[in-house]
Amino acid sequence: MATASTMRTAASALLTAVSDEVRQKVRLPFADGQRRWIEYVPMSRPGASLCELGTDGRKLAHRLLATALSPAAYAQAMAVMALEEVLDRAENWRRGRRSDDYSVVLFGGPDEGDMWGWRFEGHHLSVSMTLEGDRVAPTPVFLGANPARMGHAGAMVLRPLAPEEDVARALLAELEPKHRSAAIVADEPPPDIRSGRRADLDPDLRAAGVAASDLPPRARELMWRLLHVYLGRLPADLAAAETARIDLGRLHFAWEGSTEPGGRHYYRVQSPDLLIEYDNQDDGGNHAHTVLRRPGADFGDDILAEHRATSHA
């Protein structure tokens, strides 16, 4: 797979560019317990921050991140990071938020010829990749935005997660009354995405709402579009591979909360092998969290299980 090769090249370049001291922070063993981790709040995290990498290392960390994202998703990620400065101003600089407070960490290494992985993470951004040879497990991928929208003079200035909201609203609006009734499962949204910051997904989080198989063609098409908003965060070869693995006939769409633009709301698209979540209820519905996850395959769990079985045999 082309993306795997690109990731190896980018990761190797980063390791070569940084000092020995920084390299010790950037590179941890693959078996490190912090590999299976998703954390999208401001806090200390493993790896080296962008400000520790130096000018060249910082650029190479961005290049590594770009190998995991489509051009559009990379632009979203850059907007998410820039919003740290906007949020810091809104908070009157009290918390010292910084757009360089993002860390990169490798688990194992691209030169070891075995399984390895890497993560780029900070407030409202967490991208984890796990590799074995040419195979890439590209989830979880988390993007958030605070503020989710910023306007001026009656026009929108910035709205990084617009497709994630707009396509879901188009789908909801397209539903016939009986399907809409089935899709809306609660009047209030949850306080956050239900998967939260858990490495292991809650097995009791079951598909809810309306089944794609019950929808007429136009609504089903919009559900596919929404699915590809999230899978389209990945490079084309990874997106195609992930799409091929999903049982499209078992997808469900569930909505919670307000159906009015600007209102507090949540939705998820789910099947046994896929979980997409969007939550925008904090700060009066102007603080969004979104995630793409693959139950049983996050952090390369499926690849690792196969690898262990083969090695044991």
Side-chain angles (χ1 to χ4, degrees), residues 220-237:
R220 195 179 307 126
E221 178 187 342
L222 284 165
M223 187 180 286
W224 300 162
R225 277 187 59 195
L226 183 58
L227 171 68
H228 286 288
V229 166
Y230 287 84
L231 292 180
R233 291 177 171 180
L234 305 173
D237 57 345

Side-chain angles (χ1 to χ4, degrees), residues 20-28 46-49 52 104-105:
D20 291 342
E21 180 182 359
V22 172
R23 191 179 302 113
Q24 289 180 4
K25 298 183 68 174
V26 169
R27 188 170 181 173
L28 300 177
S49 68
E52 295 177 282
V104 62
V105 59

Side-chain angles (χ1 to χ4, degrees), residues 8 29 61 96 125 127-128 134-135 141 145 157 169 202 211 229 298-299:
R8 283 194 297 270
L125 177 62
V127 176
S128 290
D134 289 338
R135 300 175 67 185
V141 174
V157 173
R169 288 195 180 279
D202 184 352
V229 166
D298 282 346
F299 309 105

Side-chain angles (χ1 to χ4, degrees), residues 48-63:
S49 68
L50 294 179
C51 61
E52 295 177 282
L53 295 176
T55 303
D56 293 340
R58 178 184 178 124
K59 178 55 66 175
L60 290 168
H62 278 287
R63 289 186 179 182

Side-chain angles (χ1 to χ4, degrees), residues 11-296:
S12 297
L14 173 61
L15 289 173
T16 301
V18 298
S19 67
D20 291 342
E21 180 182 359
V22 172
R23 191 179 302 113
Q24 289 180 4
K25 298 183 68 174
V26 169
R27 188 170 181 173
L28 300 177
F30 183 77
D32 192 290
Q34 298 172 104
R35 183 182 67 82
R36 298 184 77 261
W37 153 306
I38 175 171
E39 184 58 81
Y40 47 83
V41 301
M43 61 171 289
S44 175
R45 58 192 81 238
S49 68
L50 294 179
C51 61
E52 295 177 282
L53 295 176
T55 303
D56 293 340
R58 178 184 178 124
K59 178 55 66 175
L60 290 168
H62 278 287
R63 289 186 179 182
L64 178 60
L65 175 62
T67 68
L69 300 174
S70 67
Y74 182 72
Q76 287 179 306
M78 294 301 100
V80 167
M81 295 170 66
L83 278 175
E84 286 299 279
E85 307 294 349
V86 176
L87 184 57
D88 199 35
R89 176 178 179 171
E91 294 173 339
N92 199 28
W93 321 107
R94 292 192 308 272
R95 299 187 62 174
R97 300 182 189 270
R98 307 190 321 273
S99 57
D100 60 1
D101 191 16
Y102 289 81
S103 296
V104 62
V105 59
L106 274 65
F107 298 96
D111 57 335
E112 293 180 351
D114 207 341
M115 291 198 68
W116 66 286
W118 61 272
R119 182 170 63 244
F120 190 107
E121 188 179 71
H123 188 210
H124 283 154
L125 177 62
S126 182
V127 176
S128 290
M129 299 283 137
T130 308
L131 298 89
E132 182 191 41
D134 289 338
R135 300 175 67 185
V136 183
T139 58
V141 174
F142 176 97
L143 291 173
N146 183 14
R149 59 186 181 276
M150 178 72 73
H152 177 68
M156 193 60 60
V157 173
L158 189 65
R159 198 166 154 242
L161 300 175
E164 286 81 351
E165 178 176 358
D166 292 348
V167 177
R169 288 195 180 279
L171 170 56
L172 188 67
E174 183 66 24
L175 297 181
E176 299 171 357
K178 65 176 182 178
H179 296 139
R180 185 182 177 94
S181 178
I184 300 175
V185 298
D187 294 331
E188 290 292 326
D192 195 0
I193 53 174
R194 285 192 164 83
S195 56
R197 305 192 297 274
R198 297 175 50 152
D200 294 307
L201 294 172
D202 184 352
D204 293 329
L205 181 59
R206 305 295 176 85
V210 64
S213 57
D214 292 338
L215 297 178
R218 173 59 181 161
R220 195 179 307 126
E221 178 187 342
L222 284 165
M223 187 180 286
W224 300 162
R225 277 187 59 195
L226 183 58
L227 171 68
H228 286 288
V229 166
Y230 287 84
L231 292 180
R233 291 177 171 180
L234 305 173
D237 57 345
L238 297 188
E242 293 303 297
T243 301
R245 296 172 59 189
I246 293 170
D247 186 349
L248 300 177
R250 301 182 69 182
L251 289 176
H252 283 68
F253 172 72
W255 183 281
E256 302 180 37
S258 172
T259 60
E260 297 299 320
R264 299 163 53 249
H265 63 290
Y266 163 95
Y267 69 78
R268 75 177 181 267
V269 178
Q270 189 174 1
S271 70
D273 53 1
L274 174 75
L275 177 63
I276 287 169
E277 289 191 275
Y278 174 106
D279 186 80
N280 190 349
Q281 66 82 35
D282 209 0
D283 297 317
N286 194 21
H287 180 165
H289 289 175
T290 75
V291 74
L292 168 66
R293 300 197 66 167
R294 295 298 310 278

